[in-house]
Amino acid sequence: MARFRNKKRKVFVKPVAKRKQPSVDHMTGDKIPKSFVFSRGKLPNSLRQLQMDLRKLMLPYTALNLKEKRRNNLKDFLNVAGPMGVTHFLMLSKTETAPYLRVARTPQGPTLTFKINEYSLAVDITRSQVRPRCPQDLFKSSPLIVLSGFGTGEQHLKLATVMFQNIFPAIDINTIKLSSCQRIVLLNYNKETKLIDFRHYSIRLQPVGVSRRIRKFVQNRQLPDLRTLQDVSDFVTKAGYGSESEADDEAATVSLPSDIGRVNRTSTKSAVKLQEIGPRMTLQLMKVEEGLCSGGVIYSEYGNRMEKKQEEQEQEDGDGDGGNEGEREGEGEGEEVEEEEDMMED
């Protein structure tokens, strides 16, 4: 007789439904900004890692695992950005002279082009710290943003201020939860050097007047090793109350409106501590365009340099021959500027 094979029963596995991110803030009713971080052209490994660090910085409202190919152009990203509610693009590129970062508002601009003079990766900053700190829930909420030195009244700085403010979700101080304020992005503009210091910190609260040993005991919920001590009071007094928390300035201490965790209570004061988590960049605003990587140029650092040099040459050279030499130098510099801008756009 023929044998009948027993058919294997297929086990039904219920698919895990992915939680869809909200597009509108339920508290303020404003549209939540979302972003894409991608590259234009070939990047070295260090800039690839900087791209991943920027994606982590923009969490949770960004595509962390965005797949991009060489044949993808800007129009392909725009076609995907519309249905997904993406409002901003952060594009990294590299020329022979320096790397560049372009921040653009979709779909019609404007576009801000920054030259990256210096940068440090998050891995480098972590290695330089004695006690690096990166909790699991650190990137579950968007960072706060603080702008310093941008109130000079110049038009291109006003555009940069509005762009950076709108790239992160707005907050309402009356309804925001203090537990969601885990990170902060600081941008400081130096008026003399025209450079922007870009820093990314994690926010940490510590109770004032509590030793580090007691604080760790309350947070970890683990029984301490008391074998070498004669009394429980030795465990409390060994570290002493002259801890690092009490050495803080009075301006760095706050009174909390609600309890946060097991240590920070409303009845006691807490010290606010910032720890850098990276990435770190030094940016220089080079150009502002009306459209999305196109359109009229609102501001150009190259144009300002040429105008200043021409004015200086006109003041120094009163003769006609000197003016002709200045015009030749200005034409040569203009050709170099156009070549560098073409390389950056490619």
Side-chain angles (χ1 to χ4, degrees), residues 34-41 48 51 55 63 65-92 102 104 106-107 292-293:
K34 299 179 182 179
S35 61
F36 276 168
V37 182
F38 55 93
S39 62
R40 305 298 297 149
R48 285 286 178 187
Q51 176 180 304
R55 288 182 181 179
N65 299 318
L66 179 65
K67 304 295 182 181
E68 49 183 318
K69 299 180 180 179
R70 289 184 179 180
R71 64 174 179 268
N72 293 135
N73 52 27
L74 196 59
K75 190 176 180 180
D76 297 334
F77 292 102
L78 271 176
N79 293 335
V80 181
M84 297 185 67
V86 176
T87 58
H88 292 83
F89 284 168
L90 279 77
M91 296 164 282
L92 281 169
R102 281 182 285 181
T106 61
L292 184 63
C293 300

Side-chain angles (χ1 to χ4, degrees), residues 3 9 21 24 28-29 94 96 129 134 139 142 150 168 172 181 185 193 197 206 238 246 254 304 338:
R3 294 182 179 179
R9 295 181 179 180
Q21 288 184 345
V24 179
T28 60
K94 176 74 169 63
E96 295 180 357
Q129 296 174 349
C134 187
F139 297 95
S142 299
F150 284 84
F168 297 107
D172 187 358
C181 301
V185 174
T193 61
D197 295 325
Q206 288 183 357
K238 188 175 181 180
E246 289 186 349
V254 294
N304 291 349
E338 290 178 358

Side-chain angles (χ1 to χ4, degrees), residues 72-311:
N72 293 135
N73 52 27
L74 196 59
K75 190 176 180 180
D76 297 334
F77 292 102
L78 271 176
N79 293 335
V80 181
M84 297 185 67
V86 176
T87 58
H88 292 83
F89 284 168
L90 279 77
M91 296 164 282
L92 281 169
S93 60
K94 176 74 169 63
T95 65
E96 295 180 357
T97 56
Y100 289 85
L101 172 66
R102 281 182 285 181
V103 182
R105 172 83 182 192
T106 61
Q108 297 178 352
T111 304
L112 278 68
T113 302
F114 297 93
K115 181 180 179 181
I116 304 177
N117 291 340
E118 297 175 352
Y119 68 93
S120 298
L121 303 177
V123 178
D124 301 330
I125 294 175
T126 302
R127 289 174 181 172
S128 64
Q129 296 174 349
V130 179
R131 293 174 184 167
R133 177 180 179 270
C134 187
Q136 295 181 354
D137 59 344
L138 189 63
F139 297 95
K140 287 185 178 181
S141 57
S142 299
L144 307 176
I145 183 166
V146 175
L147 303 176
S148 175
F150 284 84
T152 59
E154 300 181 40
Q155 184 182 7
H156 62 282
L157 291 180
K158 289 182 179 179
L159 287 173
T161 302
V162 174
M163 181 70 76
F164 284 123
Q165 286 178 344
N166 294 334
I167 205 170
F168 297 107
I171 62 172
D172 187 358
I173 59 174
N174 297 320
T175 59
I176 190 173
K177 295 182 180 179
L178 292 180
S179 58
S180 64
C181 301
Q182 296 282 337
R183 297 180 292 141
I184 183 171
V185 174
L186 174 63
L187 287 94
N188 181 38
Y189 176 75
N190 192 334
K191 189 177 180 180
E192 297 179 356
T193 61
K194 295 185 178 181
L195 297 179
I196 301 174
D197 295 325
F198 186 99
R199 300 290 185 269
H200 184 208
Y201 298 95
S202 65
I203 303 175
R204 185 161 49 108
L205 293 175
Q206 288 183 357
V208 177
V210 180
S211 64
R212 183 168 174 265
R213 177 171 289 191
I214 298 298
R215 189 170 64 248
K216 289 183 66 177
F217 169 67
V218 177
Q219 289 176 343
N220 299 335
R221 303 183 185 182
Q222 294 179 356
L223 294 176
D225 187 7
L226 303 176
R227 290 177 298 177
T228 58
L229 304 178
Q230 296 180 356
D231 192 23
V232 180
S233 60
D234 296 339
F235 173 77
V236 179
T237 58
K238 188 175 181 180
Y241 285 98
S243 62
E244 57 186 32
S245 301
E246 289 186 349
D248 295 331
D249 297 334
E250 189 68 23
T253 59
V254 294
S255 298
L256 302 177
S258 60
D259 297 341
I260 299 179
R262 294 168 55 87
V263 179
N264 298 283
R265 300 291 180 176
T266 56
S267 57
T268 60
K269 286 189 175 182
S270 299
V272 181
K273 291 182 175 290
L274 300 180
Q275 186 169 355
E276 190 172 3
I277 56 179
R280 178 194 300 179
M281 293 185 293
T282 302
L283 307 174
Q284 183 181 6
L285 182 59
M286 305 302 294
K287 187 169 61 173
V288 179
E289 297 171 286
E290 291 180 353
L292 184 63
C293 300
S294 61
V297 178
I298 302 175
Y299 168 79
S300 177
E301 180 66 21
Y302 299 115
N304 291 349
R305 288 178 186 175
M306 293 174 61
E307 290 176 1
K308 288 181 180 178
K309 287 188 176 181
Q310 287 179 359
E311 290 178 359

Side-chain angles (χ1 to χ4, degrees), residues 53-71:
D53 291 344
L54 288 175
R55 288 182 181 179
K56 288 187 67 176
L57 184 145
M58 300 301 296
L59 284 175
Y61 301 109
T62 191
L64 183 62
N65 299 318
L66 179 65
K67 304 295 182 181
E68 49 183 318
K69 299 180 180 179
R70 289 184 179 180
R71 64 174 179 268

